[in-house]
Amino acid sequence: MITLPTYDDVVAAANRIEGFAHKTPVMQSSILNHALGAEIFFKCENLQRMGAFKFRGAFNSLAQLDEAQRKRGVIAFSSGNHAQGIALSASLLGIPATIVMPQDAPKAKRAATEGYGATVVEYDRYTQDREAITLALAEKHGYAVVPAYDYAPVIAGQGTAVKELIEEVGELDALFIPLGGGGLLAGSALAARALSPNCKIYGVEPEAGNDGQQSLRSGSIVTISTPKTIADGAQTSALGHHTFAIIQRDVTDILTATDEQLVESMAFFASRMKLVVEPTGCLGLAAVRALASSLKGKRIGVLISGGNVDLDNFSRLLAAHANAGGHIL
């Protein structure tokens, strides 16, 4: 039996991170609202410290370590945003941090992780087991392992974003949350069920990596090969045991988006809202645009999970989209 976090843990996390995490803005687009005939509220975690929601769960986790463990240090594995969240949180709390990061992680994310003072250990995401590497280093050096998503303090910390959203704008009819390993979706579900009990909750993952969708519909965790998608923050192969249990209990459905839809949404954010959003952060908007006809008259929450995209890649994707006559809205 696993012990699942509750909304009380989200409330405790909110108190713990207050003064450290930004209370990110909620934005709307009048053009989008008019086009869809709905009210869309974007929770802009791309404007969070280190550029993503991951800071919330990372800081909540590290803030609970005792003094002895803080001296020994922490370790995590991540393709980028969790890495930066742990690195920055560790820096603020005076804790040594080691991050196991894939060789092909976005350059901007690696540079930021090292810039916050963390030590990076590389691995090949397609041939090596990052968890095995992490556990071996943790055992050797006595590091505390902070999982990216399947960990109660991380889940509770991530839920604080939707807590803030609903407290600011009121109850919602539907909520769209990017989905990788499920920490953000699970935490968001805890907050939404407590504060907006009639809200429909949707996870959105890359079409090439729909393990969450398969898992929810089959009733058990499905594991896939590492998906090839521009949404590097959602290149997970399976949900966690904690996250799946909450998702199975509280989430309405899991949807998918193609890489093309993600680029279209990146272009919309950049052109219409002047926001830099990474591909993973576009998953929610991509699903909203695909479901437009069923959302008329509704109040919709969309969580923008992050904005840590390599600018060369960002420019290349948007230029290719524009040259192909791509649609913005």
Side-chain angles (χ1 to χ4, degrees):
M1 289 289 292
I2 58 176
T3 301
L4 299 177
T6 67
Y7 179 64
D8 287 342
D9 295 308
V10 177
V11 174
N15 292 330
R16 205 170 282 121
I17 70 174
E18 187 175 4
F20 294 94
H22 296 322
K23 184 176 181 182
T24 51
V26 176
M27 298 179 66
Q28 293 192 71
S29 164
S30 58
I31 293 173
L32 184 67
N33 286 350
H34 178 74
L36 301 186
E39 284 189 276
I40 315 296
F41 300 94
F42 292 103
K43 179 63 170 171
C44 298
E45 286 295 290
N46 56 315
L47 302 178
Q48 183 56 261
R49 292 188 76 161
M50 47 72 47
F53 75 95
K54 290 282 190 176
F55 179 76
R56 296 173 180 272
F59 192 91
N60 185 51
S61 300
L62 269 57
Q64 297 180 66
L65 296 177
D66 62 32
E67 192 60 35
Q69 187 59 67
R70 291 188 185 201
K71 289 181 180 179
R72 288 193 296 271
V74 299
I75 190 168
F77 53 82
S78 168
S79 64
N81 283 338
H82 181 58
Q84 291 175 78
I86 292 294
L88 176 55
S89 298
S91 176
L92 292 170
L93 294 167
I95 302 172
T98 299
I99 307 297
V100 178
M101 182 175 281
Q103 295 169 340
D104 62 349
K107 293 177 182 179
K109 293 184 179 182
R110 173 163 181 164
T113 299
E114 292 177 324
Y116 293 132
T119 298
V120 170
V121 176
E122 288 187 348
Y123 77 98
D124 185 328
R125 73 164 87 224
Y126 298 106
T127 63
Q128 292 181 288
D129 186 337
R130 63 183 184 174
E131 187 169 359
I133 295 169
T134 301
L135 293 176
L137 289 170
E139 183 175 355
K140 179 178 179 180
H141 299 287
Y143 300 146
V145 178
V146 186
Y149 49 86
D150 199 28
Y151 186 48
V154 166
I155 294 169
Q158 317 307 29
T160 61
V162 165
K163 176 179 181 294
E164 291 176 6
L165 170 62
I166 297 174
E167 287 176 343
E168 180 171 340
V169 307
E171 293 194 28
L172 299 167
D173 295 307
L175 182 64
F176 292 81
I177 306 292
L179 173 60
L184 179 60
L185 179 56
S188 297
L190 294 177
R193 284 286 168 256
L195 300 176
S196 186
N198 296 318
C199 176
K200 293 182 178 180
I201 303 168
Y202 298 96
V204 190
E205 61 190 347
E207 185 178 70
N210 72 330
D211 60 285
Q213 185 182 70
Q214 292 183 55
S215 299
L216 184 63
R217 295 178 184 180
S218 69
S220 61
I221 296 174
V222 172
T223 301
I224 63 173
S225 299
T226 301
K228 294 186 184 299
T229 170
I230 62 171
D232 64 281
Q235 282 184 300
T236 49
S237 58
L239 298 175
H241 294 287
H242 293 79
T243 59
F244 178 64
I246 296 170
I247 289 168
Q248 188 176 37
R249 183 189 69 195
D250 293 337
V251 169
T252 306
D253 199 5
I254 293 176
L255 312 171
T256 64
T258 66
D259 280 2
E260 181 180 358
Q261 289 173 315
L262 297 182
V263 175
E264 288 177 355
S265 294
M266 287 174 66
F268 173 83
F269 281 129
S271 174
R272 301 299 191 191
M273 299 183 70
K274 314 310 174 189
L275 293 173
V276 174
V277 181
E278 63 186 276
T280 305
C282 294
L283 284 163
L285 175 57
V288 165
R289 294 175 72 175
L291 294 178
S293 62
S294 64
L295 300 179
K296 290 189 182 300
K298 306 293 186 183
R299 291 169 49 83
I300 310 298
V302 177
L303 198 140
I304 301 175
S305 58
N308 292 321
V309 57
D310 181 83
L311 290 182
D312 288 340
N313 189 41
F314 182 78
S315 300
R316 180 183 59 80
L317 289 171
L318 294 193
H321 177 70
N323 291 337
H327 180 64
I328 293 178
L329 184 63

